[in-house]
Amino acid sequence: MTLATRQIPMTNAPDADAADVRSTDVLILGGGISGLSLAHWLRRDNLDVHVLDRNAQPGGVIGTLRKNDFLFERGPNTVLDKYDSFDDLLAGAGLDGEVLRVPLRTQTRHIWLNGRLHPVPMSPLAFLASPLLPVAGKLALLREPFVARRDDDETIADFVQRRLHASWVSNLVTPMVSGIWAGDPARLSIAYAFPIMKALERRGGSLVRGAWLRARDRRRGAPSADAPTTKARKHLVSFRDGLQRLPAALAEPADPQRK
Ligand SMILES: Cc1cc2nc3c(=O)[nH]c(=O)nc-3n(C[C@H](O)[C@H](O)[C@H](O)COP(=O)(O)OP(=O)(O)OC[C@H]3O[C@@H](n4cnc5c(N)ncnc54)[C@H](O)[C@@H]3O)c2cc1C
């Protein structure tokens, strides 16, 4: 695989440099993590793959900065390691020995509300006691199984407000979405940003019933009918030299010994 720096015009360029015409099995535009991981999987099928990006640095929005003895992440800081395919990607990139993992369960997330930090509730009892949601927001969970299913896509904010309550959007979902996507829940699509949520609604008619069916599949060891099976024990992952190691390693010229 090669990563080359090139600004790809969004329209057909009539004056393409004829001397620079090469042939390849697959040409990927964009050397962010999507383009680089796709290139990785295609290369394993022995295809000749080229990735073009306008930046010399691979990784797109992923960027680690080292200053003095500190590492700063300009964008994403961790990957949620929930699919087995991620282990294949790490092994293929030769990064097995550099991975740092923190079990997801040991992470307590906090949200700043009304001048204080509050832990995000992780159990039904903690949920009932949490000041993060008003009573109306908590009662909305009882109503949720009876809210009609909607099949078309909508924004995260519309989805959560429709199924739950406006307080979920402002007090829980907005901080969470900022942390994951650095984006605005009133503009991001629920089907693309959180496909599992849409899948739960589609399968169970509601989030509560969909989650119950999914938990039942898991207990029975059956593959989930609504979404790819995720690992039972999930970790947040980064690398000793920061998250940029992943795209940097994927963009390195292929080592024929590595599969
Ligand atoms: C601030 C921030 C924090 C985030 N935090 C997390 C997190 O902690 N964990 C997590 O899992 N996700 C996080 N995300 C989301 C995650 O980082 C992104 O979903 C993911 O990195 C997107 O990768 P991508 O390859 O699809 O797009 P990009 O990273 O945007 O890559 C697209 C690439 O295409 C290139 N390109 C575009 N147009 C052209 C052109 N015309 N010619 C040539 N090249 C072009 C760009 O230069 C770029 O390199 C975060 C996102 C942001 C912005």
Side-chain angles (χ1 to χ4, degrees), residues 8 10 30 32-34 53-55 60-61 76-78 180-182:
I8 307 299
M10 287 306 176
I33 196 61
S34 305
D53 200 292
R54 63 181 154 208
N55 296 318
V61 296
N77 47 48
T78 45
I180 299 173
W181 294 104

Side-chain angles (χ1 to χ4, degrees), residues 177-251:
V177 169
S178 315
I180 299 173
W181 294 104
D184 179 356
R187 297 180 64 196
L188 289 173
S189 134
I190 185 79
Y192 287 93
F194 295 108
I196 181 69
M197 293 294 156
K198 203 66 191 162
L200 292 180
E201 184 194 45
R202 200 173 297 125
R203 173 144 184 239
S206 83
L207 296 176
V208 170
R209 187 154 187 280
W212 178 77
L213 289 172
R214 192 170 160 78
R216 194 189 60 180
D217 287 349
R218 198 183 276 275
R219 273 196 310 277
R220 292 178 177 172
S224 182
D226 46 56
T229 308
T230 55
K231 293 181 177 181
R233 284 167 198 270
K234 301 181 185 64
H235 292 83
L236 287 173
V237 169
S238 187
F239 306 91
R240 278 198 303 273
D241 289 326
L243 204 57
Q244 177 105 42
R245 274 301 288 141
L246 180 58
L250 288 172

Side-chain angles (χ1 to χ4, degrees), residues 29 32 35 42 45 61 65 75 100 115 120 123 127 132 137 144 148 182 197 203 205 231 239 249:
L29 303 183
L42 292 174
D45 287 341
V61 296
L65 183 73
L100 302 175
V120 174
S123 69
F127 173 81
L132 279 174
E144 198 276 338
M197 293 294 156
R203 173 144 184 239
K231 293 181 177 181
F239 306 91

Side-chain angles (χ1 to χ4, degrees), residues 59-107:
V61 296
I62 300 176
T64 307
L65 183 73
R66 183 180 280 282
K67 202 157 187 201
N68 303 327
D69 283 338
F70 296 96
L71 280 184
F72 298 90
E73 296 290 357
R74 297 172 201 260
N77 47 48
T78 45
V79 179
L80 179 58
D81 165 24
K82 56 180 175 179
Y83 299 116
D84 289 337
S85 54
F86 186 64
D87 295 332
D88 292 347
L89 192 72
L90 290 181
L95 289 175
D96 281 337
E98 298 181 37
V99 183
L100 302 175
R101 292 176 201 270
V102 182
L104 191 60
R105 279 196 195 150
T106 60
Q107 293 270 317

